Amino acid sequence: MSDPKFWVAVSFVLFFVFLGKKIFTALGGALDGRADAIRRQLDEASHLRAEAEKMLAAAEAERAAAAAEAEQLLASARAEAERVAIAAAAEAEAAAKRRERMALDRIASAEASAVAEVRNAAADIAGAAARAVISETFDAAADAALVDRSVTDLPKALRAA
């Protein structure tokens, strides 16, 4: 046992046992720290991923809501345009009926005016013809006889009335 190689080997083994223990402890602590850091990063990444998925779902919901609102606005605009077109068509039809009624009124007025003119002209012609016939057929003696007969018939006419 006094061989120096033996003691060098023993001291070498003891050196590595004591120093190895410290090195392994330090190395294990460093690896544990690194593993904890990686675990925290993985947890944070998992948390960020979950948050990103929530944000994505919220964004998709907002997009769907915006698309639905846009579709609703488009349908509303179409309905309003159709309502305005129907109202415009009804207004145009009413205006055409008003114009037609005004034209018919003007025609009726012109017709009534023409009829009145024809009646007046006929009355004038009839009056002139009657004057001509009376002046040709009646003389002063016939006029006096007609007046006398009218005066005699007057009391009868007044009683009948």
Side-chain angles (χ1 to χ4, degrees):
M1 285 241 180
S2 59
D3 185 17
K5 288 183 186 177
F6 172 74
W7 289 112
V8 170
V10 170
S11 65
F12 186 71
V13 169
L14 287 175
F15 174 75
F16 275 110
V17 169
F18 291 124
L19 188 61
K21 189 173 185 182
K22 283 188 176 187
I23 289 175
F24 285 125
T25 305
L27 194 59
L31 288 175
D32 286 341
R34 178 90 168 123
D36 286 342
I38 290 172
R39 199 172 298 117
R40 277 193 309 272
Q41 287 177 351
L42 286 174
D43 288 342
E44 184 178 344
S46 174
H47 176 69
L48 289 174
R49 180 179 179 164
E51 196 173 307
E53 287 175 353
K54 286 180 187 176
M55 289 173 71
L56 177 64
E60 286 178 355
E62 286 178 15
R63 183 193 57 79
E69 184 178 353
E71 188 65 33
Q72 184 180 16
L73 286 173
L74 185 60
S76 175
R78 284 183 182 142
E80 181 66 19
E82 186 175 329
R83 185 191 65 76
V84 166
I86 290 171
E91 180 63 30
E93 186 176 336
K97 285 182 180 180
R98 278 193 306 271
R99 286 188 200 115
E100 180 183 1
R101 193 174 7 202
M102 287 172 35
L104 289 175
D105 288 346
R106 277 187 258 154
I107 290 171
S109 175
E111 185 178 299
S113 176
V115 167
E117 284 180 25
V118 167
R119 279 187 186 155
N120 289 337
D124 289 343
I125 292 172
R131 276 190 296 275
V133 167
I134 289 173
S135 67
E136 287 176 11
T137 57
F138 286 110
D139 57 359
D143 284 343
L146 185 60
V147 168
D148 288 339
R149 198 172 356 145
S150 294
V151 170
T152 354
D153 289 342
L154 187 62
K156 287 182 199 174
L158 288 175
R159 281 189 215 133

